[in-house]
């Protein structure tokens, strides 16, 4: 590689790293507790659990479960309902002031065996909420997400350019060598390069999946415009089906389950919400294996007749989004994978911090050298 090419790659690595480093440090620090969000909820008593004395009871009709949530907040409308990931007998009903509101919601936990309200967990307050919002959008909504996506792209550029620069640099040293006798800056440079290479694949995966996740809102809207609108064209212009005219929700669920017997329910989107249509109740089904559980199958059920209207396959870009979301937080292999993700996260913090230290140290040394040269020139001039 020519000297000019190396200078270009060095410039790319320097400035892409400098621009994104502080934000990447923020994302690594806020992402660390989010890796263990489920475990933290159980340790802090935030997780809702079913009373076990009724463990052998049957299942209440889904209509009664949703009605219990609605009765808790009669001034709100139901947007979504979902069974708990670990215990399908526990249900959560999400209510908002209006169907077009997404940032003011109440979640009601309901015992699916007897339709009794158990708790109203708040997911819009507390330490984990602050960590999640800082990590997802910096409390700035879609502009914040897209900005963090840009920082993620700069991280990918920094990683690729760092690999390009690492190859000629390591021709002079053994792999993994950390020079102890050359001063602290050289030791940190060697450690920065070594840890950067060790975490290379992980950082690329987390960086790339993070970028994809920031596009989630736009991808869903494009899917609604590109494919869902074509399926719903026969119902265009019709108002939202009133609750009084809807078929029993339990019958609609049974129709969706009969249409996809090899899948289980993830969540229900009610008519008029962002993931459904004014005329349908949409049941999002998932597979039963660790991989297929991340791939969703929407089943659109006519809200009046409880008949399945369509069950489209999700486009490739939404499939990529769904696969990237759990991979971003190491949510494929249980607790062992989460621990590995956390350790790599900590190492990445060291890489980012050492890179910032090396730049500041070099800048100070360069400034000191410039001042010394100026002083020497001034001394010669005075003579």
């Amino acid at each position: 590689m020519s000297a000019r090419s190396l200078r270009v790659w060095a410039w790319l690595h320097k400035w892409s790293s400098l621009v994104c480093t502080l934000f990447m440090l923020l994302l690594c620090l806020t992402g660390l507790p989010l890796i263990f969000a489920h475990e933290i909820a159980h340790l802090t008593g935030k997780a809702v659990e079913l009373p076990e004395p009724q463990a052998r009871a049957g299942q209440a009709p889904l209509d009664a479960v949703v009605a219990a949530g609605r009765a808790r907040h009669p001034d709100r409308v139901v947007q979504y309902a979902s069974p708990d990931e670990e215990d399908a007998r526990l249900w959560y009903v999400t209510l908002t002031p209006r169907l077009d509101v997404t940032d003011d919601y109440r979640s009601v936990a309901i015992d699916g065996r007897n339709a009794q309200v158990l708790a109203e967990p708040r997911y819009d307050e507390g330490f984990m909420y602050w960590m999640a919002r800082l990590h997802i959008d910096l409390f700035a909504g879609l502009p914040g997400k897209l900005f963090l996506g840009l920082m993620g792209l700069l991280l990918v550029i920094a990683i690729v350019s760092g690999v390009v620069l690492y190859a000629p640099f390591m021709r002079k040293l053994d792999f993994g060598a950390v020079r102890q006798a050359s001063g602290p800056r050289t030791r940190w440079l060697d450690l920065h390069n070594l840890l950067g290479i060790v975490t290379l694949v992980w950082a690329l995966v987390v960086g790339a999946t993070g970028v994809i996740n920031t596009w989630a809102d736009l991808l869903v809207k494009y899917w609604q415009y590109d494919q869902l609108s074509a399926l719903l064209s026969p119902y265009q212009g019709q108002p939202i089906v009133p609750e009084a005219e809807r078929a029993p929700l339990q019958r609609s669920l049974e129709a969706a389950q009969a249409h996809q017997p090899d899948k289980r329910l993830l969540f229900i989107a009610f008519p008029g919400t962002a993931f459904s249509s004014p005329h349908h109740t949409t049941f999002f089904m998932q597979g039963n294996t660790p991989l297929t559980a991340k791939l969703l199958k929407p089943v659109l059920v006519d809200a009046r007749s409880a008949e399945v209207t369509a069950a489209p396959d999700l486009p490739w870009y939404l499939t990529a989004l769904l696969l990237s979301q759990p991979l971003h937080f190491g949510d494929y292999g249980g607790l062992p994978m989460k621990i590995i993700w956390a350790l790599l996260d900590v190492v990445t913090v060291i890489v980012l911090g050492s890179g910032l230290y090396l730049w500041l140290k070099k800048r100070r040394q360069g400034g000191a050298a410039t001042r010394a040269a100026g002083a020497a020139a001034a001394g010669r001039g005075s003579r």
Side-chain angles (χ1 to χ4, degrees):
M1 185 180 297
S2 66
R4 181 178 179 181
S5 296
L6 281 175
R7 285 195 297 270
V8 171
W9 282 109
W11 183 90
L12 279 174
H13 184 69
K14 173 184 175 181
W15 289 108
S16 60
S17 301
L18 286 175
V19 172
C20 75
T21 288
L22 291 179
F23 294 100
M24 289 301 108
L25 280 171
L26 173 67
L27 292 178
C28 285
L29 293 174
T30 56
L32 192 57
L34 294 178
I35 295 173
F36 301 104
H38 183 75
E39 289 77 10
I40 291 174
H42 279 279
L43 287 174
T44 57
K46 300 286 186 179
V48 180
E49 297 183 2
L50 287 173
E52 283 308 318
Q54 300 180 6
R56 296 183 180 277
Q59 190 77 15
L62 188 52
D63 300 82
V65 172
V66 174
R70 186 184 293 110
R72 197 75 171 192
H73 294 280
D75 57 329
R76 291 172 174 258
V77 294
V78 178
Q79 280 202 347
Y80 305 103
S82 60
D84 186 74
E85 291 184 6
E86 294 184 352
D87 192 337
R89 300 171 300 173
L90 175 62
W91 279 80
Y92 295 92
V93 177
T94 302
L95 305 101
T96 56
R98 300 185 314 275
L99 287 174
D100 60 342
V101 174
T102 58
D103 58 352
D104 179 10
Y105 64 91
R106 295 291 181 269
S107 182
V108 182
I110 301 169
D111 189 334
R113 301 165 299 185
N114 53 25
Q116 296 296 311
V117 173
L118 298 176
E120 291 190 46
R122 295 297 297 268
Y123 301 109
D124 56 351
E125 60 184 19
F127 173 75
M128 294 301 290
Y129 168 73
W130 282 86
M131 293 297 99
R133 287 299 303 273
L134 285 171
H135 191 86
I136 293 170
D137 63 5
L138 299 175
F139 287 91
L142 181 59
K145 290 181 181 181
L146 296 179
F147 175 79
L148 290 178
L150 175 61
M151 294 301 103
L153 283 175
L154 291 178
L155 174 66
V156 173
I157 293 173
I159 292 171
V160 173
S161 57
V163 172
V164 173
L165 295 172
Y166 185 74
F169 173 81
M170 286 308 296
R171 291 192 189 123
K172 306 172 185 178
L173 298 171
D174 294 331
F175 178 78
V178 178
R179 292 166 288 181
Q180 300 292 335
S182 302
R185 186 179 183 278
T186 301
R187 287 198 298 272
W188 273 110
L189 174 62
D190 291 343
L191 189 62
H192 175 82
N193 290 333
L194 173 61
L195 295 179
I197 288 298
V198 170
T199 59
L200 169 66
V201 175
W202 180 84
L204 273 175
V205 168
V206 172
T209 54
V211 171
I212 295 173
N213 289 341
T214 63
W215 301 337
D217 293 348
L218 296 178
L219 292 176
V220 170
K221 288 183 181 301
Y222 181 73
W223 171 64
Q224 292 172 328
Y225 169 79
D226 180 51
Q227 296 191 9
L228 197 58
S229 60
L231 290 171
L232 303 178
S233 57
Y235 308 97
Q236 190 172 6
Q238 295 186 15
I240 297 173
V241 177
E243 291 186 13
E245 299 179 14
R246 296 177 190 175
L249 188 60
Q250 182 68 39
R251 183 148 59 92
S252 297
L253 172 61
E254 291 169 358
Q257 290 174 328
H259 192 274
Q260 299 290 324
D262 59 335
K263 299 184 183 298
R264 56 192 176 94
L265 178 68
L266 179 64
F267 74 95
I268 305 169
F270 286 81
T273 57
F275 289 92
S276 191
S277 81
H279 199 78
H280 292 84
T281 304
T282 303
F283 297 84
F284 283 83
M285 315 297 285
Q286 62 180 166
N288 295 299
T289 67
L291 179 61
T292 59
K294 313 303 178 184
L295 302 176
L296 303 187
K297 180 78 169 180
V299 181
L300 282 70
V301 179
D302 190 297
R304 282 193 172 93
S305 66
E307 296 178 355
V308 175
T309 299
D313 291 325
L314 292 180
W316 66 269
Y317 50 85
L318 283 186
T319 299
L321 173 66
L322 292 170
L323 291 175
S324 70
Q325 287 177 336
L327 188 59
H328 186 70
F329 289 106
D331 198 20
Y332 272 113
L335 186 59
M337 188 171 178
K338 290 184 178 183
I339 293 174
I340 294 173
W341 245 236
L343 292 174
L344 291 169
D345 185 284
V346 172
V347 173
T348 302
V349 170
I350 297 173
V351 173
L352 293 168
S354 61
L356 190 59
Y357 162 79
L358 291 169
W359 177 74
L360 291 172
K361 192 76 172 175
K362 184 176 181 179
R363 191 177 181 187
R364 289 196 192 102
Q365 290 175 349
T370 301
R371 289 192 295 272
R380 289 195 297 271
S382 65
R383 293 196 294 270

